[in-house]
Amino acid sequence: MDGPGFMASLVAGGVAGVSVDLILFPLDTIKTRLQSPQGFNKAGGFHGIYAGVPSAAVGSFPNAAAFFITYEYVKWFLHTDSSSYLTPMKHMLAASAGEVVACLIRVPSEVVKQRAQVSASTRTFQIFSNILYEEGIQGLYRGYKSTVLREIPFSLVQFPLWESLKALWSWRQDHVVDSWQSAVCGAFAGGFAAAVTTPLDVAKTRIMLAKAGSSTANGNVLSALHGVWRSQGLAGLFAGVFPRMAAISLGGFIFLGAYDHTHSLLLEVGRKSP
């Protein structure tokens, strides 16, 4: 991938990440509190729904930038003919690689953010300091495995579906999709992926919110899922599914639409520059 393409992916990914995280933060807070083991009302209800936003704001640009740089590079590295039956596999591998890299930045931000969301009266920096003091660096990466195990299946569904919908729409209208059309494809792909991966999101939330030293805090996803199943059944495994679908559908519209628009704009500027 050439220099202009690299920079366009970095900046466009960062802009898209900041846009979607800040706009949809209240929905994310409601979803986290619905999934909290202490229950929605005790976790804060509708009070202080912007608790933890500093953590999201700091982490969103580098997180999204890291994902899209990796995603676009792996697609370039695994270049195949657009009509090849291997194209969906290329998108799956690119998205999976992107998630593994991005989660190195996303997880510490997510841990601090989610604890702030269920402790609205505590400052974000104080929560960050407490984690470092009580658990060390590993405390910031609690739930890394569960987050990757949630994000990879999500991306395996979302990104090939997004790319396929764009390709189908382009074929039907006989020209490349516009940014708003890419955004519509992103909304549909994101909502569908969000629904089918909600149990993994519930497990990730329980692990991140568990008390240090507890069995859940060890990060065993299957154990967390089993615990939710025993105590709350199927409803517990799909807790927060509707705000999650709403947030990610709208997020897919903003995130992927903003990425495509910014990426195209930056490449156009790069071509015009001497």
Side-chain angles (χ1 to χ4, degrees):
M1 191 163 60
D2 60 9
F6 178 87
M7 284 302 299
S9 296
L10 187 151
V11 175
V15 168
V18 171
S19 301
V20 73
D21 283 352
L22 296 185
I23 292 170
L24 300 182
F25 194 85
L27 273 175
D28 184 69
T29 299
I30 291 168
K31 183 267 301 180
T32 297
R33 291 175 180 177
L34 284 168
Q35 295 176 349
S36 169
Q38 62 195 19
F40 179 72
N41 290 326
K42 287 185 178 179
F46 291 103
H47 173 71
I49 56 173
Y50 276 95
V53 75
S55 175
V58 168
S60 58
F61 189 99
N63 160 40
F67 172 84
F68 273 112
I69 288 171
T70 309
Y71 180 69
E72 296 290 356
Y73 178 79
V74 174
K75 281 205 305 179
W76 169 82
F77 184 76
L78 299 175
H79 178 69
T80 57
D81 184 80
S82 59
S83 62
S84 171
Y85 66 92
L86 293 174
T87 297
M89 185 65 67
K90 176 182 74 174
H91 295 149
M92 288 179 180
L93 289 172
S96 299
E99 292 296 357
V100 171
V101 173
C103 280
L104 293 171
I105 300 166
R106 182 182 304 151
V107 170
S109 171
E110 187 90 349
V111 169
V112 175
K113 180 198 75 176
Q114 290 204 316
R115 294 194 191 182
Q117 286 174 327
V118 298
S119 306
S121 59
T122 309
R123 291 181 178 275
T124 301
F125 184 74
Q126 185 181 340
I127 290 171
F128 174 74
S129 301
N130 288 344
I131 293 171
L132 283 179
Y133 178 75
E134 294 172 8
E135 303 176 59
I137 293 294
Q138 64 267 34
L140 290 173
Y141 281 93
R142 187 204 290 184
Y144 177 81
K145 287 187 294 184
S146 62
T147 304
V148 170
L149 287 173
R150 177 198 68 174
E151 297 294 357
I152 287 181
F154 178 85
S155 291
L156 287 178
V157 176
Q158 184 189 32
F159 280 89
L161 184 55
W162 176 54
E163 299 276 12
S164 297
L165 289 171
K166 286 197 301 176
L168 178 62
W169 203 336
S170 297
W171 175 73
R172 290 291 298 272
Q173 65 186 11
D174 204 27
H175 65 79
V176 176
V177 292
D178 297 324
S179 297
W180 72 267
Q181 294 170 323
S182 174
V184 170
C185 295
F188 182 84
F192 182 77
V196 299
T197 58
T198 295
L200 294 172
D201 186 55
V202 171
K204 186 268 308 179
T205 299
R206 293 297 179 94
I207 289 168
M208 285 186 171
L209 296 179
K211 291 182 178 179
S214 66
S215 58
T216 306
N218 291 334
N220 189 309
V221 176
L222 289 178
S223 176
L225 287 171
H226 186 248
V228 174
W229 171 258
R230 281 191 310 170
S231 61
Q232 295 175 275
L234 190 64
L237 290 175
F238 282 90
V241 64
F242 292 114
R244 175 170 160 80
M245 283 181 67
I248 293 179
S249 291
L250 188 52
F253 184 91
I254 297 167
F255 185 59
L256 297 174
Y259 174 76
D260 253 12
H261 182 72
T262 309
H263 191 260
S264 300
L265 188 65
L266 290 172
L267 288 178
E268 184 67 26
V269 169
R271 280 193 291 267
K272 289 180 179 178
S273 298

